[in-house]
Amino acid sequence: MGQKIVHPLPRTISEGDVSLYIAFTGSRFALHSSNEVAKEFGYEKRPIDDVLMFHMTFGKSVQDISLNAIANLGYAEISFPTPVYVGDTVSMTSTVIGLKENSNGKSGVVYVHSIGVNQNNEEVLNFKRWVMVHKKDKKTLTGIKEVPTFSETTPILDEINIPKIECVDTNATGGEFFFEDYEKGERLNHPEGITIDDSDHTLATKLYQNNAKVHFNDHMMKSTPMGQRLMYGGIIISMARAISFNGLQNAQWIYAINSGSHCNPTYAGDTIYAYTEIIDTIDHKREDIGLLRLRTIAVKNQKSEEILNPKDEDGKYLKNVVLDLDYTVIIPKNKTKK
Amino acid sequence: MGQKIVHPLPRTISEGDVSLYIAFTGSRFALHSSNEVAKEFGYEKRPIDDVLMFHMTFGKSVQDISLNAIANLGYAEISFPTPVYVGDTVSMTSTVIGLKENSNGKSGVVYVHSIGVNQNNEEVLNFKRWVMVHKKDKKTLTGIKEVPTFSETTPILDEINIPKIECVDTNATGGEFFFEDYEKGERLNHPEGITIDDSDHTLATKLYQNNAKVHFNDHMMKSTPMGQRLMYGGIIISMARAISFNGLQNAQWIYAINSGSHCNPTYAGDTIYAYTEIIDTIDHKREDIGLLRLRTIAVKNQKSEEILNPKDEDGKYLKNVVLDLDYTVIIPKNKTKK
Amino acid sequence: MGQKIVHPLPRTISEGDVSLYIAFTGSRFALHSSNEVAKEFGYEKRPIDDVLMFHMTFGKSVQDISLNAIANLGYAEISFPTPVYVGDTVSMTSTVIGLKENSNGKSGVVYVHSIGVNQNNEEVLNFKRWVMVHKKDKKTLTGIKEVPTFSETTPILDEINIPKIECVDTNATGGEFFFEDYEKGERLNHPEGITIDDSDHTLATKLYQNNAKVHFNDHMMKSTPMGQRLMYGGIIISMARAISFNGLQNAQWIYAINSGSHCNPTYAGDTIYAYTEIIDTIDHKREDIGLLRLRTIAVKNQKSEEILNPKDEDGKYLKNVVLDLDYTVIIPKNKTKK
């Protein structure tokens, strides 16, 4: 408890990373595609896509936290406090905030609080995570059970670190819908489906310097029940976010990821579809922006509109459902529409 | 008629896009590979490859013009009025210049004039295009038939927007041949063949933010007669241009694309070859440069030298011919040779 | 003898190339990943990975030296005299330093000394290489036999062109071991294995503008005994170097490549493993750094720890051994540890 781990390998994010991310995902959010749009929004230049920044920073913790984990169990309270730009260098530190021995005495759950910073030590990513790992000493029962509690959703602050939005040119962003146009309970079936191949996902995961063996080593994976390389779950988050552009064009900022589940594995050749439910519309004291709490469900090899409920009668995810993501985005209000 | 469509998603072109384009195509034109060569040619730094710029800008219009089109019928008078550099942001607007109802009353042809500009509103791309689309009202015959006329070739202006070429170091460009060395009717068999895989073409098309479903969605395409993802035709234009380096090393500027036909589909695994005919040599009032009107034929899975005529006796393209491109390049004159 | 060949196509290296290299290899050496780490080491910004620079510069010579060669026979005395940065433009010149006719009179060996420079004409790469080529005149025996001699290892100079290393933050580099921690004869089994797909290796080789047909043209290769595209040997050097990170985290500079052998071909789908032997530990008059002479063996589709000796009793390489690389790296001494 309280152990602090400085993850090695700070990473400078470059224009090359930005281009590769667009090539991997086909992402079209205007804020991250165009310096001119970013300037209209009050930025000096286009900030890095939040999900790309997440992968780049998160990748640092794989070596120390999850490389030999039995399972990645969950995430909570993920936030993106400060925008990141080309040329910034991100690094990450984790602190152990919880420990729980499993009843078998052979493994346990470790809870960590991870904070990513830029070169000026400003927080760019903040999240909690828990993984199941083997115990070194499998014979001694310690009975340790210090489990932290997490908010169901990342708290929304009064101060949000994005420039005041004066106007949004819908001719540039490609979307006509603003905060007031979404209703709680509404569902958006995003029409696009994108197939992911071997090179797509391994190039991306290597770019993020995430070195979990299951993603890269086909020779090793052939002798596992999977029989092939497993796709890094973050790839699916990226694809779901990119596919959700159609219907959420102006929701260009991820404020938080509240929780997420990789419900089923994905492999090369899978085609990813997605739909989004508006869980909540959250007004903000700022006059220019509001927030939407979203649930995006990614599905493999089946059109998203065919999935009415991602879980079956027993509460088990359908076999084609691959991601259940609960997150909160920022979207300008109608008054900014130009 | 006269309707103006502002295509969303202006795009900043970066060093990452330039590197990816070289990785996709293997293109070796020195002007686009080396800042030092570009400076010798009078540029401040290397301009963006014309075909890359075309894809980046053209990609913007897919959503509005051709996403749900029945067919892309043709292009005309494509020109590249201003060089584009890393850091520039391109966007595009189209105006409807022609409408023709098909005799069945259910579909028709729409002609548009599309203009791409940079962040300073300077024209960087200018072309006309026509696509066949479904009619909303399939029952009412309108009889509309306003068909614009196009020049067979993009007109060549007295002012050409490239620096005065003082000298060309053939040790740098890799080519010994200049304007005067080419003869009308001459044929160049480019020796290289390059195989394109799934990830190559889908990464490229996603980078261009061209979101036509047929290129990405293998799940959907499996239930079509094609049975697999169709390659974006622009990929073949890029490959043909890159392969044509061998024999046209000093023809580093595309002045215009006069017309083009994607004669047959291409799929992952196809190997692309190409040959080029010199349709015309066109002197220019500038003393440093001339132009070559070229016809480059791209062929799949067959050496280009085996194709004597891309069409059979009935005027139908041979089944391995995948591109018939009529375009005009700029090439320095012999006096610039160093 | 003495003929000088200026290889065409100088190449500007960009942030895009750096990102792509990380995506291809998953390389994690901190010096090349982070500007902040590079600054701590006394650089203005992160220098280009030595192997990437090698490929970029070496690629230039393929067209003139080895495109139609019967075989690439060997390399010697490869050194990296000056660091290269994003924005630098590299080019290369070769001089013929040896000629030896084969006894059949139909082919011979050409020895060249190749020097790569940056835009300021500073040497960035220096090596000797020999290839077997066809003779133009196959009928006349010339008896020529001028064979240069090479050092077994690239000589180590008193002046080494890297900044004085004040301190190395092991929290940043991810490695605890310094010069004094390695012993002659020690063996490091690097645990990772990485599978390479078609797009990975062809994108990389095209990025390097290495246009040897065997790497790209599947249509042509299908009618050869290989039956498929052959991977560019440099890809394996890159993968072996990236995989060797685990155990050599602080050995971030390649001082020299003494010799290397591509023992067996690699194809798409192969998984690469590697182990490294410390051939020698070489102290240096500088107080901050020492050198390690390494032998890294790359193996395909078999864990590196299973290979005790890369050669069988007859001195022939085992069929899964794909690279035998003898090279020298620079590594800080213990006193720099922070």
Side-chain angles (χ1 to χ4, degrees), chain B residues 245-313:
Chain B
F245 172 80
N246 207 315
L248 290 162
Q249 291 92 334
N250 289 319
Q252 306 196 52
W253 303 261
I254 296 185
Y255 181 76
I257 300 177
N258 303 307
S259 63
S261 174
H262 297 292
C263 323
N264 281 295
T266 47
Y267 303 105
D270 283 343
T271 299
I272 306 302
Y273 294 90
Y275 73 86
T276 298
E277 288 171 4
I278 314 296
I279 304 178
D280 205 0
T281 62
I282 306 159
D283 202 0
H284 195 268
K285 63 183 276 199
R286 276 178 59 163
E287 288 189 348
D288 54 339
I289 54 170
L291 298 101
L292 303 174
R293 183 176 167 200
L294 305 175
R295 183 192 193 188
T296 292
I297 303 289
V299 185
K300 65 177 173 184
N301 308 324
Q302 187 175 9
K303 287 187 179 176
S304 64
E305 68 211 47
E306 295 174 5
I307 304 287
L308 298 182
N309 187 330
K311 296 183 181 177
D312 65 16
E313 291 171 349

Side-chain angles (χ1 to χ4, degrees), chain B residues 15-16 19-20 22-28 30 33-37 46 171-174 191-195 197 199-200 203 245-246 271 273 301-303, chain C residues 6-18 20 24 63 67 87 89 119 198-199 202-204 206-209 211 213 216-220 222 229:
Chain B
E15 285 290 1
S19 290
L20 275 163
I22 296 176
F24 293 142
T25 61
S27 182
R28 285 171 287 152
S33 297
S34 163
N35 283 334
E36 302 305 311
V37 169
R46 52 181 175 160
N171 276 336
T173 64
E192 288 168 18
I194 301 183
T195 305
D197 299 301
S199 288
D200 301 31
L203 287 170
F245 172 80
N246 207 315
T271 299
Y273 294 90
N301 308 324
Q302 187 175 9
K303 287 187 179 176
Chain C
V6 180
H7 303 299
L9 306 180
R11 174 65 185 276
T12 301
I13 301 180
S14 81
E15 286 289 1
D17 302 323
V18 170
L20 276 164
F24 293 141
Q63 176 81 32
L67 190 63
T89 300
Q119 68 281 2
D198 271 322
S199 287
T202 56
L203 286 171
K206 285 183 287 184
L207 182 70
Y208 310 145
Q209 297 177 315
N211 64 320
K213 295 172 188 182
F216 302 115
N217 190 328
D218 200 51
H219 176 251
M220 176 189 83
K222 270 185 183 141
R229 285 166 284 178

